[in-house]
Amino acid sequence: MTKHVFQTEVNELLHLIIHSLYSHKEIFLRELVSNASDALDKLKYLTLTEDEFKKINFDPKVEISFNDSAEDRSITIKDSGIGMNEEDLIEHLGTIARSGTKNFLGKLTGDDKKDSNLIGQFGVGFYSCFMVADQVEVITRKAGEKEAYRWISDGKSGFEIEPTAKKEAGTEITLYLNDEGKEFANRWSITETLKKYSNHIAFPVYLSYEESQFDGEGEDKKEIKELKTEQINDATAFWKKPKSELKKKDYNEFYKTFSNDFADPALHVHTQAEGAMDYTTLFFVPEKAPQDLFYADYKPGVKLYVKRVFITDDEKELLPTYLRFVKGIIDSEDLPLNVSREILQQNRVLDNIRKASVKKLLKSFQTLAKKEKEYIKFYEEFGRPIKEGYYQDRDNRELLEKLVRFKSTKVEGYTTLEDYVKRMQEDQKGIYYITGDNEATLRRSPLIEMYMQKDIEVLIADDEIDEIIIPGAAKYGDHDFKSVNRSNAGDELKKEGEVEEETNEKETAPFIKKVKKVLGDRVKDVKVSSRLTDSPSVLVADADDPTFQMQEMMRAMGQAGMPDAKPILEINLGHPILKKMSGMRKTKDFDNATELLYEQALLLEGMKLENPADFVKRLNDVLTKSL
Ligand code: ADP
């Protein structure tokens, strides 16, 4: 017998499950039956494709039984699936591999630890059985191997594994029920829970129970217990049922059986194609974004089936990456069963299904967009991946540009690009946008003062990926996207003769030189601004340099070696401060004023000051003098 401890994250997950899911404790059955069904799927595939497995006598089923005697209440879930060897047991029932789940656990604070909706966003899986059991035993034998193993755990101290004997391949899990779980040692609650959560499992699920009959009369009356077995589910592939027979409620139920989600999906798209291509797809968009949406090792949401045989749930190419939040199934009639991963990735049949699926999904999002409120709810969850698609998927550009939304100076909430263009001024040179990470700061940024004054709309691009996707998109229709964060932005807004002071370069040159001398190599240049009206100064990136936010993002992503691109300080010569400064000699007061112009511009960009103490001292000096 070998002892093992749970990985730290498993302990955290166990704690979370037990303390936050108690109002949904019956889901343990859904999780275990769905694992059993996955195990059957995997073995079925091998028996159809691998010679050494073809000869085994495979009878796919899930069998559930229970013991309701008061001192020994338990429930057993048995499957004839792929099973696990010792290594599998340690890896699958002792660790959490995915970084999305790990990170999610790390981020939880005391308050949300009670929120079962949060935890519903990722699969709680096997560990949920510790909500109802104080001891769990797994006896399992991997198909094609001789050894069987017994795994046992109290869900607290870790687990033990020892060799054991088992006749057939598969897994048998027994839960020794605690007070929370004792109500499940009962025919009716098991049946009800299975019907609710596992009705659409594609393999038969049987429940065995004892039925009492009485023989004789009075003193001689004898109780005879008879063992009965009943199939609980209808065991057909849900997606093959005629669409006309299915109601929204049925789709919602099916979604829950395979997605591990507690909530109803936001929408479903069911396609049964016949003719040139013969396939079925059933896709769902969850209400909430999955926790691992932004991790490279995210779990793909789409399962591939061939003629109702499960092939894989770990193929990221079934849909483009930007649609990774979509869950569902693809079932093809035209693929061979033993498709290898290499074949999958460049298979024409699959490629056609993928293309058609993407169009269908994007069109269904467009239909959703007709209902503004619902669409915004969707967009707040999945706007980012949609924008990724806008950037990546040139083939569907026309559909995607109707789906992206941006905040804007002219509207509350979001605007479409189409509406922005409708509001453009007659001689407007492009679609203006400002990037940064804080909406409130951007809305008050000196960079857009001139646009506001001229009543020109500016998109508020406060999502960090906007920095990449908007320049990447480059154009909407005939209109160029123009960043207002660059040093040359605003020049084109200037009308001739409008800004007289700055045209006289000769006069301003010595002044600019003095300012530059104070700031040294902290700035790339100092320029007279053509766009400021109320603010004295602003920091911008040079026309071809990455913006500050972009630089921060690159640093955060570990892109070392990127040279720091220094900002340009733009100053507003029309501002009273600058007017006063232009007549001054380069004294301590001049230096202080210059530093303050630079520092306030940094603050407005949402950047950190290099030395806050110096800033405060300077500010206090100025205050003292002025009071
Ligand atoms: P998930 O099912 O989301 O991967 P679980 O915690 O439910 O997470 O299960 C972890 C892993 O344990 C599964 O991915 C599978 O490899 C293995 N496993 C669980 N139950 C079974 C079973 N009945 N038969 C074979 N393998 C199983």
Side-chain angles (χ1 to χ4, degrees):
M1 160 138 20
T2 40
K3 285 193 179 202
H4 302 262
V5 290
F6 286 125
Q7 183 194 30
T8 328
E9 284 88 357
V10 174
N11 282 326
E12 277 172 41
L13 183 61
L14 279 167
H15 182 87
L16 189 61
I17 289 170
I18 291 164
H19 291 92
S20 62
L21 283 181
Y22 47 82
S23 54
H24 296 275
K25 54 182 188 278
E26 79 278 8
I27 61 135
F28 80 90
L29 200 55
R30 174 189 82 184
E31 301 292 317
L32 295 182
V33 172
S34 127
N35 282 349
S37 162
D38 291 347
L40 291 167
D41 267 336
K42 285 178 193 157
L43 185 55
K44 179 166 180 187
Y45 174 65
L46 291 178
T47 59
L48 290 166
T49 56
E50 303 282 320
D51 283 340
E52 53 177 313
F53 289 96
K54 276 183 184 158
K55 49 185 183 287
I56 72 168
N57 178 16
F58 179 51
D59 176 18
K61 59 184 174 191
V62 182
E63 293 168 293
I64 298 175
S65 55
F66 60 92
N67 180 344
D68 60 0
S69 69
E71 57 287 359
D72 198 16
R73 285 199 178 87
S74 68
I75 173 166
T76 300
I77 294 102
K78 184 176 166 192
D79 67 67
S80 51
I82 186 87
M84 286 175 276
N85 59 22
E86 187 170 19
E87 228 175 293
D88 295 336
L89 280 170
I90 295 171
E91 193 182 316
H92 299 317
L93 305 187
T95 60
I96 296 170
R98 293 185 194 277
S99 52
T101 310
K102 278 195 201 169
N103 188 284
F104 167 71
L105 288 165
K107 271 196 319 219
L108 286 183
T109 59
D111 284 348
D112 19 73
K113 285 208 168 142
K114 290 189 194 69
D115 189 348
S116 63
N117 284 326
L118 274 175
I119 194 171
Q121 288 166 44
F122 68 91
V124 290
F126 172 79
Y127 302 108
S128 61
C129 57
F130 288 105
M131 278 190 294
V132 293
D134 45 26
Q135 177 105 296
V136 175
E137 181 188 68
V138 180
I139 291 176
T140 180
R141 179 172 151 196
K142 190 159 182 164
E145 297 182 17
K146 282 198 189 70
E147 302 78 20
Y149 295 92
R150 176 171 176 266
W151 177 105
I152 188 151
S153 172
D154 59 3
K156 292 188 191 86
S157 50
F159 55 95
E160 287 167 9
I161 298 179
E162 64 184 2
T164 185
K166 187 174 187 303
K167 258 208 194 131
E168 302 103 10
T171 303
E172 186 175 332
I173 300 180
T174 301
L175 314 184
Y176 295 95
L177 299 169
N178 58 21
D179 277 351
E180 296 290 318
K182 62 184 182 209
E183 65 191 88
F184 291 100
N186 158 334
R187 180 181 165 196
W188 305 113
S189 59
I190 296 175
T191 306
E192 190 192 15
T193 313
L194 287 175
K195 282 218 178 287
K196 182 166 168 198
Y197 291 113
S198 309
N199 199 28
H200 303 296
I201 295 288
F203 302 99
V205 178
Y206 299 101
L207 176 64
S208 301
Y209 55 92
E210 281 178 336
E211 207 167 57
S212 296
Q213 270 172 5
F214 294 93
D215 202 23
E217 291 277 313
E219 294 258 303
D220 297 332
K221 193 164 132 178
K222 260 199 277 175
E223 186 182 354
I224 301 169
K225 286 192 172 174
E226 196 183 347
L227 191 67
K228 296 209 161 171
T229 298
E230 181 187 19
Q231 180 171 340
I232 307 289
N233 65 335
D234 63 4
T236 51
F238 176 81
W239 55 90
K240 285 286 178 188
K241 293 187 180 177
K243 277 167 78 168
S244 57
E245 277 178 21
L246 298 170
K247 301 209 167 59
K248 188 167 176 189
K249 188 172 139 271
D250 303 319
Y251 285 106
N252 290 355
E253 259 174 35
F254 174 69
Y255 169 74
K256 288 176 196 171
T257 64
F258 88 98
S259 68
N260 290 321
D261 199 342
F262 290 99
D264 287 340
L267 61 93
H268 70 260
V269 188
H270 193 181
T271 309
Q272 293 170 325
E274 273 171 37
M277 295 196 291
D278 214 349
Y279 67 87
T280 303
T281 56
L282 175 54
F283 298 120
F284 295 93
V285 173
E287 188 180 50
K288 292 260 178 237
Q291 286 297 331
D292 59 1
L293 191 59
F294 295 107
Y295 292 95
D297 64 347
Y298 69 89
K299 194 175 164 90
V302 178
K303 297 185 186 207
L304 178 67
Y305 287 77
V306 170
K307 300 182 192 77
R308 261 142 287 136
V309 176
F310 169 81
I311 306 292
T312 176
D313 60 359
D314 200 22
E315 176 49 65
K316 292 185 174 166
E317 313 275 318
L318 294 175
L319 286 179
T321 40
Y322 73 89
L323 291 175
R324 61 191 178 274
F325 58 89
V326 172
K327 295 179 190 274
I329 62 99
I330 294 177
D331 189 354
S332 162
E333 300 291 322
D334 306 322
L335 283 170
L337 274 175
N338 53 352
V339 281
S340 68
R341 172 156 279 186
E342 292 69 41
I343 293 178
L344 275 184
Q345 289 179 353
Q346 18 165 308
N347 181 278
R348 204 179 41 82
V349 172
L350 211 52
D351 206 43
N352 287 334
I353 296 178
R354 174 173 37 219
K355 281 202 181 107
S357 300
V358 172
K359 288 234 159 31
K360 191 97 194 238
L361 280 163
L362 295 181
K363 283 191 180 142
S364 75
F365 301 163
Q366 229 166 48
T367 310
L368 186 70
K370 289 187 186 134
K371 290 177 253 168
E372 175 74 8
K373 236 175 110 185
E374 276 178 46
Y375 185 70
I376 293 307
K377 232 172 102 186
F378 163 87
Y379 196 74
E380 305 231 296
E381 293 296 321
F382 306 111
R384 260 201 186 200
I386 292 291
K387 284 194 270 188
E388 288 173 28
Y390 178 49
Y391 176 74
Q392 291 164 354
D393 188 353
R394 299 280 140 171
D395 293 344
N396 291 299
R397 176 78 177 247
E398 270 179 34
L399 284 166
L400 282 154
E401 65 190 5
K402 293 195 179 113
L403 295 173
V404 288
R405 297 285 183 276
F406 294 98
K407 292 169 188 159
S408 149
T409 52
K410 281 266 173 88
V411 292
E412 275 184 36
Y414 293 88
T415 179
T416 59
L417 293 171
E418 193 183 351
D419 288 344
Y420 178 102
V421 167
K422 280 188 198 146
R423 289 187 294 262
M424 274 169 77
Q425 297 192 1
E426 222 168 90
D427 53 349
Q428 196 175 321
K429 302 262 179 6
I431 301 177
Y432 296 102
Y433 68 97
I434 178 168
T435 54
D437 56 12
N438 182 303
E439 181 182 349
T441 313
L442 293 180
R443 285 190 183 276
R444 266 178 276 132
S445 167
L447 294 173
I448 62 172
E449 279 171 7
M450 166 105 78
Y451 299 85
M452 298 295 268
Q453 205 183 40
K454 292 184 186 290
D455 200 33
I456 294 173
E457 179 167 0
V458 179
L459 297 177
I460 306 288
D462 63 346
D463 184 350
E464 60 184 16
I465 75 162
D466 292 339
E467 291 252 14
I468 296 166
I469 68 114
I470 301 180
K475 265 174 179 294
Y476 170 72
D478 297 332
H479 308 286
D480 291 331
F481 285 108
K482 288 176 184 279
S483 163
V484 311
N485 299 62
R486 306 307 169 108
S487 73
N488 59 353
D491 288 357
E492 62 196 20
L493 289 189
K494 202 169 27 172
K495 292 227 176 72
E496 263 167 53
E498 198 175 326
V499 194
E500 302 105 27
E501 282 130 297
E502 70 192 66
T503 45
N504 195 340
E505 265 190 43
K506 256 194 192 151
E507 247 172 60
T508 56
F511 175 66
I512 298 279
K513 210 171 150 192
K514 274 194 284 182
V515 174
K516 268 192 204 167
K517 202 158 176 197
V518 178
L519 297 176
D521 63 4
R522 282 176 288 171
V523 293
K524 189 169 184 175
D525 203 356
V526 175
K527 286 186 177 166
V528 175
S529 180
S530 55
R531 63 170 120 201
L532 294 177
T533 59
D534 300 333
S535 306
S537 63
V538 69
L539 281 167
V540 292
D542 202 359
D544 298 318
D545 283 345
T547 61
F548 315 122
Q549 285 78 19
M550 177 82 108
Q551 292 183 47
E552 291 232 309
M553 202 165 110
M554 304 288 249
R555 272 192 287 272
M557 292 187 329
Q559 300 254 10
M562 224 193 46
D564 269 355
K566 300 263 188 274
I568 291 177
L569 182 74
E570 284 192 9
I571 50 178
N572 174 7
L573 292 185
H575 194 279
I577 297 179
L578 278 299
K579 277 190 175 150
K580 285 195 176 163
M581 281 175 73
S582 67
M584 283 170 77
R585 284 192 300 121
K586 195 180 163 307
T587 57
K588 182 95 205 308
D589 282 346
F590 181 91
D591 290 359
N592 270 345
T594 306
E595 293 282 356
L596 284 168
L597 288 179
Y598 169 72
E599 284 164 330
Q600 60 169 283
L602 268 181
L603 288 174
L604 279 177
E605 269 298 302
M607 307 299 284
K608 281 214 179 81
L609 295 177
E610 287 137 55
N611 194 331
D614 284 356
F615 167 74
V616 171
K617 184 166 180 309
R618 269 191 281 279
L619 191 63
N620 289 340
D621 285 351
V622 175
L623 275 178
T624 314
K625 280 198 181 138
S626 71
L627 291 174

